[in-house]
Amino acid sequence: MEGEPPYFFDRGENEFPGLTVTRDCDTAVLEVTVHGRWSRRMGLDVYNLLRRCLAEHPPAIVVDLSGLNDPDAASANMWLAAARAAASLRPPAQLVAGIPPARQLAGRLRSLGAVHQLPLFATAWQARAAVATRLPQTERLHLSPLPPERSSVAAAGDLVVAACDAWGLPAIAAPGRMVMAELAANAVDHARTDLAVTVLRRGAGLYLSVRDGDPRLPRLVQPDEPVRRRPAGRDRGLWTVHRRASAWGARPARGGKVVWAVMRPHRSAPR
């Protein structure tokens, strides 16, 4: 529907063959690993996957191209376009790539001036290390572990308010607290495992995430779909997140999943 925020439920490795995404839960940095021969099909999958990654507005994306078979360097323009898209975010996200320097693709990227838009490193490990040194250390709040109890829902919401007070973001405090509380409440009610909640500053906005130990991804129930009665105070379910976040989604994580939301001031008003 027009005006609705994008939401993405990443189903894991089977959704995009040859592509995997991992997320550092401490820094929200995403790493995309590419395996196999480049083709038009893979190009479409890369486009869709990177679109999802950018909607999450991470501080950085590391692309591991060491397993990509692209002898004709046909994917070069895709990676440059992705780097420009990441740089256009406000605040910008950094896209860096790990690729052996002798590869044809590496040479093609260098000849196109990629070093000014897409930093290249010989390995993904070097790319991760370079990104880590550039991440701000004062714009992140984290609570872990939190028990699967209602008190943890309140603690997660309070963390958002504390972040907004510290970073001067009063317009996001109330809707951000509501969204974080809904994410945490869903984890408490359905995952019933310990939680880890994180708040990151993204310019004038916030990135919120809740990690739990249940690999099952949530599902956005349509308004006309019959549902069982929800616990008191949560009758709107994930629609609270959907209506107030600029973007949101869920992705598998090692030992469970991460559900995230991006809050920006222009989405803060109730509808």
Side-chain angles (χ1 to χ4, degrees):
M1 289 181 285
E2 184 178 359
E4 296 238 337
Y7 64 102
F8 306 102
F9 293 165
D10 294 341
R11 302 296 174 182
E13 296 183 15
N14 293 331
E15 186 172 8
F16 298 117
L19 306 176
T20 59
V21 180
T22 57
R23 177 182 179 276
D24 187 315
C25 291
D26 290 332
T27 65
V29 172
L30 300 178
E31 181 170 337
V32 177
T33 304
V34 185
H35 293 282
R37 187 175 183 84
W38 185 260
S39 64
R40 290 184 179 180
R41 175 65 189 184
M42 179 177 279
L44 181 61
D45 287 346
V46 166
Y47 171 83
N48 287 321
L49 183 59
L50 289 176
R51 177 172 170 265
R52 294 185 182 189
C53 291
L54 292 174
E56 196 167 340
H57 204 155
I61 301 174
V62 176
V63 182
D64 183 356
L65 301 178
S66 60
L68 174 62
N69 180 10
D70 185 10
D72 299 323
S75 66
N77 288 332
M78 173 67 76
W79 307 120
L80 289 175
R84 288 192 291 267
S88 70
L89 297 177
R90 292 293 177 267
Q94 185 177 21
L95 189 77
V96 302
I99 182 171
R103 295 278 180 85
Q104 184 74 13
L105 177 58
R108 177 62 175 161
L109 288 170
R110 287 193 296 268
S111 70
L112 293 173
V115 291
H116 302 296
Q117 307 170 58
L118 175 63
L120 302 178
F121 298 88
T123 67
W125 183 89
Q126 292 175 343
R128 287 192 296 269
V131 164
T133 63
R134 303 170 189 172
L135 294 176
Q137 301 299 315
T138 59
E139 298 185 338
R140 171 183 174 272
L141 295 179
H142 181 75
L143 288 177
S144 175
L146 292 176
E149 301 171 354
R150 304 309 294 181
S151 60
S152 297
V153 176
D158 290 344
L159 188 68
V160 176
V161 175
C164 290
D165 287 345
W167 301 330
L169 302 173
I172 305 179
R177 181 176 191 169
M178 187 178 299
V179 166
M180 178 65 98
E182 181 60 38
L183 297 180
N186 271 281
V188 168
D189 290 342
H190 300 295
R192 299 179 182 178
T193 68
D194 284 350
L195 316 177
V197 299
T198 301
V199 181
L200 294 172
R201 182 177 183 180
R202 302 302 292 135
L206 293 177
Y207 171 88
L208 316 176
S209 73
V210 175
R211 177 172 180 164
D212 63 54
D214 187 343
R216 296 174 298 174
L217 299 185
R219 185 169 66 91
L220 184 64
V221 177
Q222 298 304 316
D224 57 350
E225 182 177 348
V227 295
R228 291 177 297 177
R229 180 177 178 85
R230 293 185 177 88
R234 293 188 51 233
D235 57 313
R236 298 173 69 184
L238 285 174
W239 281 98
T240 298
V241 179
H242 189 71
R243 289 167 177 160
R244 292 179 178 270
S246 296
W248 69 283
R251 69 171 67 252
R254 181 174 300 176
K257 67 178 177 294
V258 172
V259 187
W260 57 269
V262 174
M263 304 295 300
R264 296 192 179 99
H266 67 277
R267 299 295 300 232
S268 63
R271 285 180 272 171

